[in-house]
Amino acid sequence: MTSVHRKLENLLLDHGERGELIAFAGRERIIRAITHTVERIAVRPLEGETFVISGAPGAGKTSLVRELARRLDVPCIHLREVPDEGEIQYLWSELATKLTGLATEEMRGIQHRARYGEGGISALVKAEGSFSEGVTLPPPSISSCTQIRALTDRPFKTPVVVCIDEIQNIGKDSPANTLVRHLHTQDTAPVLLVCAGLANTRERLRDIGISRLSDRNICALGALTTEETMTAAKQSLHVIETIGVSARSRTHCLDPLAEQIVAAADNWPRHLTCYLHGVCEELLEQAQPSFDQLDQKKVIDRGSHLRHAYYQDRLVASKLPACLLARLYDRVRSAPLSRDACADVLETAIREYDQEGAAALKRRFASGDEAVEQVLRSGILTLDKENNCEVPIPSMATFIREVSSVLSHK
């Protein structure tokens, strides 16, 4: 295997787990808004300035968070999921070191002295009379920015952005609730909280007590513009070229390929990633990877296969039969439907389903509202600002109808 093949494989691995774009493009308004807020809190800490980045799976939430971390001139802590109890203290310690500029070891020393006094372990041993060798003493608890300031007695040197991904998974009894509420409401330190999650993220945050969210800070990700998609496609192909894939002419080779990919991608980030992965997979099959030898039809076919696998994953995640989702999509397409109205549609559809299937669905969903919640979690539907349901993923409705039609004829 050549070094070019290895680099192509690494490129797929680096951008494959969540379907992240090889080259980021778009979302400039959101990035500017967050950057401006970071500049403001550097001068004066603000409370309640949390940003919420919501969107269906494949809309590019994680890619946006990563781009923010790359562009911001301040430290950024990115949590890929809601932290559990064991991770929360680590987060506070990490936040303390970044806010104050202290080294990690120095911060640990401060925590240690705060817990056991200036004498440290030796003083504890003297007081206790004995000390078991190998016992690890935990650091003192830090659970607020106020405690960080009191503990370190240091001025805060820089703002810090804390990004929590998959925030829709936070539960009412999660130990992370206190953490999220404090980072949202605190006004003693220059900390900005950014929460990324699915369309029901705002509801989840309300459930844990965060109701003061500014509409200007609610960022719902949808499709890119055609210009943004073209920029991302061309820049991604350029990244692939720079790892050693040859191309005789960018004008006659790369640009037409980018145009084909953009035409197929419907301006949806995950679709674009599927077709770019198709490019990498086709190149990997060449002895000497070259864009000049690329069969563009095979690239589009591979991308379409990956795209349909993405659709299938979303369908499975909804836990509903395709025929019921097709019925829901038809209602959403004909007129705006609120979340409650969608719940009524699904509850009726489940009740009218065949006897055996209806019994199974009723065991799975106690109500139409629970069914809608699962559909929102799967990304098959999302909510707009008026709390109406809409189909976020381009061509997903067509896929659902096709599956429903095929199954109905079996």
Side-chain angles (χ1 to χ4, degrees):
M1 180 182 289
T2 68
S3 62
V4 177
H5 286 94
R6 282 194 292 272
K7 289 175 182 177
L8 281 168
E9 286 192 339
N10 289 336
L11 199 62
L12 285 173
L13 288 171
D14 290 343
H15 298 275
E17 182 185 356
R18 297 194 180 189
E20 294 168 15
L21 289 171
I22 293 173
F24 185 88
R27 316 303 190 193
E28 293 299 326
R29 183 192 65 78
I30 300 172
I31 292 173
R32 284 196 301 271
I34 293 176
T35 302
H36 178 63
T37 302
V38 171
E39 291 170 352
R40 288 168 58 209
I41 66 173
V43 177
R44 182 176 66 85
L46 301 168
E47 63 174 314
E49 280 294 318
T50 294
F51 277 81
V52 175
I53 300 171
S54 66
K61 300 181 293 296
T62 301
S63 295
L64 174 55
V65 169
R66 284 188 170 185
E67 183 68 8
L68 277 170
R70 189 183 70 82
R71 288 204 205 180
L72 292 171
D73 294 327
V74 301
C76 184
I77 300 173
H78 180 195
L79 304 177
R80 289 181 169 273
E81 56 188 16
V82 177
D84 60 28
E85 196 164 4
E87 296 168 324
I88 290 173
Q89 265 308 304
Y90 169 79
L91 171 63
W92 281 116
S93 295
E94 183 78 359
L95 188 58
T97 60
K98 293 188 183 303
L99 281 169
T100 60
L102 292 167
T104 301
E105 290 303 318
E106 191 175 0
M107 185 66 219
R108 286 176 181 168
I110 290 172
Q111 289 179 269
H112 185 83
R113 288 191 294 276
R115 188 173 183 90
Y116 304 115
E118 290 299 325
I121 292 178
S122 59
L124 182 67
V125 171
K126 191 176 293 184
E128 296 288 336
S130 64
F131 183 73
S132 301
E133 187 176 350
V135 172
T136 302
L137 298 174
S141 173
I142 303 176
S143 59
S144 71
C145 292
T146 302
Q147 286 184 346
I148 290 174
R149 183 183 289 279
L151 188 63
T152 61
D153 194 28
R154 299 286 184 92
F156 294 143
K157 292 188 174 182
T158 179
V160 178
V161 177
V162 178
C163 300
I164 304 178
D165 225 335
E166 306 292 347
I167 194 68
Q168 80 280 349
N169 292 327
I170 195 166
K172 291 183 180 180
D173 299 322
S174 169
N177 290 352
T178 302
L179 165 75
V180 173
R181 281 197 298 266
H182 179 77
L183 292 180
H184 172 70
T185 58
Q186 66 84 25
D187 60 356
T188 60
V191 177
L192 179 66
L193 177 62
V194 177
C195 296
L198 298 179
N200 57 348
T201 289
R202 192 170 186 176
E203 292 179 2
R204 293 287 76 75
L205 292 176
R206 284 188 185 128
D207 288 344
I208 67 170
I210 297 180
S211 57
R212 293 185 299 129
L213 287 169
S214 170
D215 284 341
R216 71 176 183 275
N217 291 359
I218 306 296
C219 311
L221 301 189
L224 299 167
T225 66
T226 301
E227 183 181 358
E228 290 168 343
T229 309
M230 181 63 75
T231 299
K234 287 185 175 181
Q235 289 180 353
S236 297
L237 293 177
H238 176 64
V239 169
I240 296 171
E241 184 186 19
T242 59
I243 67 176
V245 178
S246 63
R248 184 175 62 253
S249 167
R250 176 168 295 182
T251 303
H252 294 94
C253 184
L254 296 188
D255 288 352
L257 177 58
E259 289 169 4
Q260 280 204 38
I261 289 172
V262 171
D266 292 328
N267 296 332
W268 187 248
R270 184 58 177 270
H271 294 172
L272 177 57
T273 298
C274 289
Y275 291 107
L276 290 168
H277 282 200
V279 171
C280 293
E281 289 178 2
E282 280 293 311
L283 290 170
L284 276 168
E285 293 189 356
Q286 299 177 7
Q288 298 293 328
S290 169
F291 283 109
D292 302 312
Q293 306 300 320
L294 207 59
D295 186 326
Q296 295 187 6
K297 182 180 182 304
K298 286 186 177 180
V299 166
I300 299 302
D301 287 345
R302 279 186 183 267
S304 296
H305 176 75
L306 293 170
R307 173 174 171 166
H308 278 80
Y310 160 59
Y311 288 161
Q312 188 64 42
D313 286 344
R314 297 300 93 216
L315 174 58
V316 171
S318 75
K319 300 182 180 179
L320 283 168
C323 60
L324 266 62
L325 290 171
R327 181 170 171 176
L328 180 61
Y329 275 173
D330 288 340
R331 292 290 305 275
V332 169
R333 183 178 61 174
S334 62
L337 284 186
S338 68
R339 174 178 174 145
D340 289 343
C342 283
D344 291 340
V345 170
L346 284 181
E347 194 156 334
T348 301
I350 290 172
R351 191 167 54 247
E352 295 174 353
Y353 200 48
D354 67 78
Q355 188 172 356
E356 184 179 347
L361 288 170
K362 286 176 182 177
R363 287 194 297 271
R364 189 176 300 163
F365 302 113
S367 65
D369 189 63
E370 284 190 12
V372 169
E373 176 70 15
Q374 186 60 38
V375 170
L376 290 171
R377 288 174 67 87
S378 71
I380 284 180
L381 282 184
T382 191
L383 297 172
D384 63 16
K385 287 185 177 180
E386 283 71 43
N387 209 38
N388 289 324
C389 291
E390 55 187 27
V391 182
I393 305 172
S395 301
M396 185 73 195
T398 302
F399 171 79
I400 293 292
R401 292 190 187 98
E402 288 174 352
V403 173
S404 176
S405 177
V406 169
L407 293 176
S408 67
H409 286 90
K410 283 188 175 181

